[in-house]
Amino acid sequence: MFGLADVNSFYASCEKVFRPDLRNKPLIVLSNNDGCCIARSKEAKRLGIRMGDPWFKIREQQYTEQLFVFSSNYELYASLSNRVMACLEELTPGVEAYSIDEMFLDLRGLETAISYEAFGTQLREHVYACTRLTIGVGMGPTKTLAKSAQWASKEWPAFRGVLALTPGNPARTAKMLSLQPVQEIWGVGSRIARKLNTMGITTALQLAQANTAFIRKNFNVVLERTVRELNGESCIALEEAPPPKQQIVCSRSFGERITTYDAMRQAVCQYAERAAEKLRGERQYCRHISVFIKTSPFSATEPYYSNVASEKLLTVTQDTRDIIAAAVRALERIWRDDHRYAKAGVMLNDFSGSGIAQLNLFDEQPPRPHSQELMSVVDGINHSGLQVWFAGRGIAPQWKMKREMLSPAYTTRWQELPLARIG
């Protein structure tokens, strides 16, 4: 048996954890540069606010209740996600982080000790006691059925956030699948759902009853696997150790347009620094560094420009200094004056799990001495709540992502810890 734990309205719920005065109040979270709505509390949903609604339109509306708005606080969300993960690991032998707010659980052998519903309720109570976040729990003999059960546990309040689809009760599984629209099935996107609808397949049960050979012929092996999973045949195993990444990308849209080379170089240095930190987190080395820059494609009065350049190193590295230097060399080749740049990014490719490589006689940049020790110290400082960075990224750039309604980093910065006053 598999389980799926999903935090309800994750971003919006995180903003309420340290703000008890906002409980039961409509709240939304905005995307990068405060662009559009990407998370809503249930109270905000009742006001008619939709995902993707632009902020400039939302703020012009008049609502029956005061709407609370926050910029995306990714540091807070990642910290609380890790806490939820730790809580689940305390009670479950195997946990796979599927996304920042969803975790698959290994529930094999659980039925010999406790009922699935009782265990799901226990998980909810434990996570809420530790984090003040509410999760929904779905369980089933396959990952797809667990995901469907979790969807149903949120769709119908009568389940109290917990639903188990067991092999011993096929009628319950069939009933639930008959009520689930095909577009709500894990892995079925809107394009595939539209094609299925034209074939008369509108519910999860109808897809489960479809001929697998027909599905493979008209779609692909991935959808065939989904059909098998809906019928209780487990095709997707639990990945307790996720596979290594094949690419790392660090990019952002700018809060203000960049028009000077120095400002762009600072941005690229910052993105290269972050990409290098992610690379070390994956315990990987890279050889290929790319940089891209682009203006806004939506501006009718300015010429559009977009370009990318790459640097290939002779020796693999995970040293931030090497990656920054390569990124700046790539930037110099594609920079053009007289443009207002809206976005830039750094991409790392061609990974190796070992830093051991045959040195090249003609390499002008041999490996730096004590590189690994220095990078470990830098990462250790940055993970401790303090911060140290390379001078190339500047001190206080004006182009940084716009987050005018940012909440404090309650769990990751000493100076922003909440204070409790008694009396």
Side-chain angles (χ1 to χ4, degrees):
M1 287 285 287
F2 295 89
L4 179 70
D6 181 4
V7 183
N8 299 340
S9 303
F10 180 59
Y11 286 3
S13 297
C14 288
E15 296 292 352
K16 293 186 177 186
V17 168
F18 296 96
R19 290 286 305 274
D21 58 307
L22 298 184
R23 291 173 188 169
N24 304 318
K25 300 290 181 64
L27 181 151
I28 65 171
V29 177
L30 302 178
S31 63
N32 292 344
N33 291 311
D34 295 339
C36 63
C37 174
I38 57 171
R40 308 162 293 166
S41 67
K42 60 182 180 181
E43 297 83 9
K45 295 175 184 178
R46 289 199 291 263
L47 294 180
I49 300 174
R50 299 171 299 178
M51 295 287 283
D53 282 354
W55 167 232
F56 73 87
K57 287 187 177 180
I58 295 175
R59 65 185 175 190
E60 294 174 354
Q61 300 295 320
Q62 298 293 326
Y63 298 104
T64 56
E65 300 179 62
Q66 181 182 356
L67 178 66
F68 295 87
V69 184
F70 289 90
S71 303
S72 298
N73 190 338
Y74 299 116
E75 297 87 349
L76 175 65
Y77 308 151
S79 173
L80 290 179
S81 175
N82 291 334
R83 294 187 182 199
V84 172
M85 183 86 168
C87 290
L88 296 173
E89 289 176 333
E90 290 175 0
L91 299 181
T92 311
V95 180
E96 174 195 339
Y98 175 63
S99 67
I100 193 171
D101 64 337
E102 292 180 287
M103 295 85 176
F104 280 109
L105 314 172
D106 183 358
L107 305 180
R108 287 176 292 184
L110 181 68
E111 69 279 2
T112 62
I114 188 175
S115 70
Y116 290 112
E117 283 81 3
F119 181 70
T121 301
Q122 189 180 92
L123 279 178
R124 280 169 54 89
E125 293 173 350
H126 182 60
V127 170
Y128 184 78
C130 295
T131 66
R132 283 301 185 263
L133 293 171
T134 302
I135 63 171
V137 182
M139 291 168 270
T142 69
K143 278 187 170 182
T144 303
L145 284 175
K147 195 86 163 69
S148 293
Q150 194 279 327
W151 169 84
S153 73
K154 290 197 300 185
E155 194 73 10
W156 292 286
F159 290 121
R160 299 178 182 272
V162 179
L163 176 60
L165 302 176
T166 59
N169 193 349
R172 187 185 205 192
T173 302
K175 177 66 174 178
M176 194 282 297
L177 293 179
S178 70
L179 299 173
Q180 184 181 27
V182 71
Q183 63 267 22
E184 297 292 345
I185 301 172
W186 183 40
V188 177
S190 57
R191 182 181 60 83
I192 293 178
R194 286 194 298 269
K195 186 175 180 180
L196 288 170
N197 289 339
T198 61
M199 298 177 175
I201 300 175
T202 59
T203 68
L205 181 61
Q206 291 172 330
L207 181 60
Q209 294 171 341
N211 183 274
T212 53
F214 171 82
I215 293 296
R216 174 183 281 202
K217 179 180 178 181
N218 289 274
F219 295 92
N220 52 43
V221 69
V222 176
L223 191 61
E224 179 195 359
R225 184 178 63 185
T226 298
V227 173
R228 294 183 182 277
E229 288 247 326
L230 289 172
N231 284 283
E233 180 183 345
S234 181
C235 303
I236 310 173
L238 194 75
E239 294 181 353
E240 296 187 29
K245 294 180 180 179
Q246 301 300 312
Q247 183 184 65
I248 290 176
V249 180
C250 186
S251 66
R252 290 286 186 275
S253 296
F254 302 126
E256 297 181 3
R257 297 289 189 264
I258 283 184
T259 57
T260 65
Y261 173 78
D262 286 341
M264 180 63 77
R265 181 180 54 79
Q266 289 181 5
V268 167
C269 287
Q270 181 171 335
Y271 300 156
E273 184 178 350
R274 178 61 182 140
E277 184 179 359
K278 290 183 178 181
L279 182 70
R280 292 191 293 273
E282 293 285 322
R283 293 181 171 84
Q284 296 283 334
Y285 295 76
C286 79
R287 190 189 300 273
H288 197 269
I289 297 98
S290 300
V291 171
F292 70 85
I293 56 176
K294 60 172 63 177
T295 61
S296 173
F298 306 107
S299 176
T301 59
E302 300 176 2
Y304 178 68
Y305 175 72
S306 175
N307 209 342
V308 60
S310 300
E311 287 282 319
K312 187 169 184 178
L313 306 180
L314 295 178
T315 306
V316 295
T317 186
Q318 59 175 197
D319 192 305
T320 300
R321 295 168 293 178
D322 296 333
I323 294 174
I324 287 178
V328 170
R329 290 197 300 270
L331 172 64
E332 290 173 351
R333 301 208 310 270
I334 59 176
W335 172 261
R336 298 290 183 272
D337 291 324
D338 302 322
H339 285 292
R340 287 163 40 86
Y341 293 95
K343 189 175 184 179
V346 173
M347 298 177 287
L348 308 183
N349 296 280
D350 195 2
F351 292 169
S352 169
S354 171
I356 301 175
Q358 178 65 47
L359 299 181
N360 192 303
L361 179 62
F362 304 102
D363 191 352
E364 298 179 357
Q365 293 182 329
R368 300 176 185 266
H370 308 294
S371 169
Q372 188 172 359
E373 292 85 347
L374 176 61
M375 293 300 107
S376 296
V377 171
V378 171
D379 292 340
I381 293 174
N382 289 334
H383 295 163
S384 70
L386 303 176
Q387 192 175 22
V388 60
W389 64 87
F390 289 82
R393 60 182 273 189
I395 299 176
Q398 299 297 316
W399 45 263
K400 292 190 71 173
M401 185 169 57
K402 185 188 299 181
R403 294 196 286 182
E404 296 177 347
M405 294 157 285
L406 183 66
S407 57
Y410 295 106
T411 60
T412 55
R413 294 180 187 170
W414 287 106
Q415 62 271 28
E416 296 183 18
L417 289 178
L419 300 177
R421 294 180 174 86
I422 300 176

